Amino acid sequence: MDLRGDVLRKLKNRREGYSLEQAFYTDADIYKLDLEEIWYKDWLFVGHDCEIPKAGNYFTVQIGDYPVVIVRDRQGTIRALHNSCRHRGSRVCTSHKGASAKLVCPYHQWTYELDGSLLFARQMGEDFDKAAHSLKPIACESFGGYIFICLSETPMDFAPVRDTVSAYLAPHHLKDTKVAFESTIVEKGNWKLVWENNRECYHCASNHPELCRTYPEAPSATGVQGAADDPVISEHWSRCEASGLPSEFKMSPTGQFRVARMPLIEGAESYTMSGERAVKRRLSDEVTQSHIGTLLLFHYPTTWNHVLADHAISFRVLPLGPELTQVTTKWLVHKDAVEGVDYKLDELTHVWNETNDQDRRIVEENAFGIRSPAYEPGPYSPEHEGGVMQFVEWYCNFMQDRLRGETSPLFKVA
């Protein structure tokens, strides 16, 4: 069977405004195509600068079949390396995070410098060339406190992301933060179901009582159209822009990433049950305005984010299997904020811990029902699910281009 041709036909013949066919959410072969054509070719959010503040600090991440280590070298440069020893392939860094003067493979103690160059490999013979056996590098970009990597040997140009988003993140100084709390959950559903659920608030009133105390359910706040025509949002943009905070909605021509600053429900300043700030210490000394709402940043396929006056929250999506997805949430606060003095951890994390678990159940029930032989694609709500339709359109367009061997000129190889 010509899998690539079959998938391309399915994508070309899909019914616009409807969910995808069952196989796109369940089939192992299509999942492998997703990995090959999206996850192994696109820029992926992996973590934050503040997680590796000093030379030798590192964290690891698994992208499909690729184990990766992110490390800060002695010159302060953040590097991404394939976490596979050049001797016999063992993982070099086996912990989720840590600190080390050198990167030492636990199998035979091959020792690498923090930039990946091989320093020591005992008894390998006189003609052994250390320079030819460094850890393989991975394209890595950091900006505004975020670290992105690209596994492709010919990564696409990252400049469109940096040029669009940097000004929005700059006032918040996320490099000067720390991770107050980190949570990882595994959802029993395809990664696209996780994203589809995220891209609408049609389900919020009946499923997210904690979030709905502060986050507006309006499609103009969650979706991709109508924000500029919403008087509450347009007034919010004007006020924030006047105080030096870039706020207006911007989306890449390809639809892969977008950014905007959205108001919370009137009177609310943070994601808490009271709507009051969760952290007394401001996230950034530069942002002194009140009621700035939340800076929303989305980048398919790995991340959505909320940056508020008192803290920031990043969400990282990683595929574990055709019907298994990992979602990691990190709460960032100012590096000098003190737990128990400036914030209470349960108050800081309560709303999104509850919301994440509610979304996990939603995705799993969605996935359960899609497995039914009776499932067929259903229509999205034009009013409430514009964001979902935009995500599905992005996925279908990108996959069609790549299955045909095409690359958008907007994302040329760097």
Side-chain angles (χ1 to χ4, degrees):
M1 181 185 71
D2 176 16
L3 174 66
R4 299 173 79 86
D6 181 57
V7 171
L8 186 56
R9 282 190 294 274
K10 282 183 166 64
L11 291 170
K12 287 174 66 177
N13 296 328
R14 76 178 183 93
R15 190 172 179 181
E16 195 169 337
Y18 279 64
S19 57
L20 297 169
E21 291 185 32
Q22 182 188 61
F24 287 95
Y25 303 116
T26 61
D27 186 81
D29 289 330
I30 292 181
Y31 169 74
K32 289 179 182 177
L33 272 186
D34 283 356
L35 290 180
E36 292 168 6
E37 299 300 333
I38 292 180
W39 293 89
Y40 297 166
K41 291 184 177 180
D42 282 301
W43 286 97
L44 311 173
F45 165 69
V46 289
H48 296 282
D49 297 41
C50 68
E51 297 181 70
I52 46 174
K54 299 178 181 178
N57 289 163
Y58 70 85
F59 65 85
T60 58
V61 65
Q62 184 78 23
I63 312 292
D65 293 329
Y66 290 90
V68 174
V69 58
I70 313 296
V71 61
R72 192 180 290 271
D73 70 16
R74 297 188 193 287
Q75 286 68 48
T77 302
I78 296 175
R79 296 180 179 270
L81 304 166
H82 285 284
N83 191 13
S84 179
C85 184
R86 295 299 307 282
H87 176 211
R88 284 167 57 186
S90 179
R91 278 196 305 168
V92 176
C93 298
T94 58
S95 300
H96 171 51
K97 59 181 64 177
S100 181
K102 302 284 191 297
L103 304 179
V104 182
C105 178
Y107 198 178
H108 300 94
Q109 285 71 57
W110 277 34
T111 302
Y112 300 88
E113 185 52 273
L114 298 177
D115 63 4
S117 57
L118 180 62
L119 292 173
F120 173 73
R122 64 187 172 87
Q123 300 174 343
M124 289 301 294
E126 292 183 5
D127 60 348
F128 176 70
D129 183 5
K130 288 193 298 182
H133 293 84
S134 299
L135 292 178
K136 293 184 177 181
I138 297 169
C140 182
E141 295 274 354
S142 65
F143 78 105
Y146 285 74
I147 303 170
F148 282 77
I149 66 169
C150 182
L151 293 165
S152 173
E153 292 184 3
T154 54
M156 291 180 294
D157 189 4
F158 191 71
V161 182
R162 188 190 307 106
D163 293 347
T164 301
V165 178
S166 289
Y168 287 76
L169 290 175
H172 298 285
H173 295 284
L174 294 182
K175 286 187 176 182
D176 296 323
T177 63
K178 63 181 178 182
V179 177
F181 190 72
E182 176 178 338
S183 167
T184 294
I185 61 174
V186 174
E187 303 186 11
K188 297 175 183 176
N190 185 270
W191 68 273
K192 294 186 288 294
L193 288 182
V194 173
W195 267 109
E196 288 189 36
N197 175 63
N198 171 266
R199 292 314 312 119
E200 48 90 358
C201 218
Y202 194 25
H203 70 280
C204 289
S206 56
N207 290 277
H208 296 318
E210 294 84 5
L211 181 61
C212 286
R213 294 173 75 98
T214 54
Y215 187 75
E217 300 172 63
S220 53
T222 303
V224 294
Q225 69 275 324
D229 299 323
D230 185 320
V232 174
I233 294 175
S234 59
E235 188 280 330
H236 182 72
W237 288 348
S238 296
R239 184 170 57 83
C240 291
E241 294 263 356
S243 63
L245 296 177
S247 301
E248 293 187 0
F249 181 94
K250 286 188 180 180
M251 182 164 67
S252 71
T254 64
Q256 186 170 29
F257 62 90
R258 65 184 178 276
V259 63
R261 199 177 303 275
M262 291 296 176
L264 298 182
I265 287 176
E266 187 176 359
E269 286 205 85
S270 192
Y271 292 124
T272 59
M273 295 301 287
S274 66
E276 297 177 359
R277 295 188 182 190
V279 187
K280 295 177 184 177
R281 181 70 163 83
R282 290 181 180 276
L283 184 65
S284 166
D285 292 332
E286 184 177 334
V287 180
T288 59
Q289 305 90 325
S290 65
H291 299 87
I292 65 168
T294 177
L295 176 62
L296 300 180
L297 167 62
F298 300 89
H299 189 288
Y300 303 146
T302 43
T303 188
W304 65 85
N305 302 264
H306 292 264
V307 183
L308 305 108
D310 63 333
H311 70 284
I313 314 160
S314 68
F315 301 80
R316 186 186 69 195
V317 176
L318 292 176
L320 300 180
E323 298 180 274
L324 213 59
T325 305
Q326 180 191 83
V327 179
T328 296
T329 308
K330 295 175 183 177
W331 286 260
L332 307 182
V333 299
H334 191 281
K335 64 182 181 181
D336 296 330
V338 178
E339 182 184 349
V341 177
D342 293 303
Y343 63 94
K344 296 178 181 178
L345 204 55
D346 58 345
E347 185 177 16
L348 175 69
T349 61
H350 177 74
V351 168
W352 279 107
N353 270 335
E354 292 297 313
T355 302
N356 284 346
D357 192 54
Q358 291 152 3
D359 280 331
R360 176 191 59 78
R361 295 197 298 268
I362 290 168
V363 168
E364 292 179 357
E365 287 298 331
N366 195 183
F368 199 94
I370 284 174
R371 295 186 200 110
S372 168
Y375 167 80
E376 62 181 71
Y380 295 122
S381 163
E383 181 178 349
H384 289 280
E385 295 176 298
V388 185
M389 288 190 281
Q390 188 273 330
F391 165 75
V392 172
E393 182 180 5
W394 166 81
Y395 169 78
C396 293
N397 288 343
F398 263 49
M399 286 297 284
Q400 287 183 77
D401 285 349
R402 287 168 183 182
L403 291 173
R404 288 192 296 250
E406 301 172 4
T407 301
S408 168
L410 296 164
F411 279 86
K412 61 184 182 299
V413 173

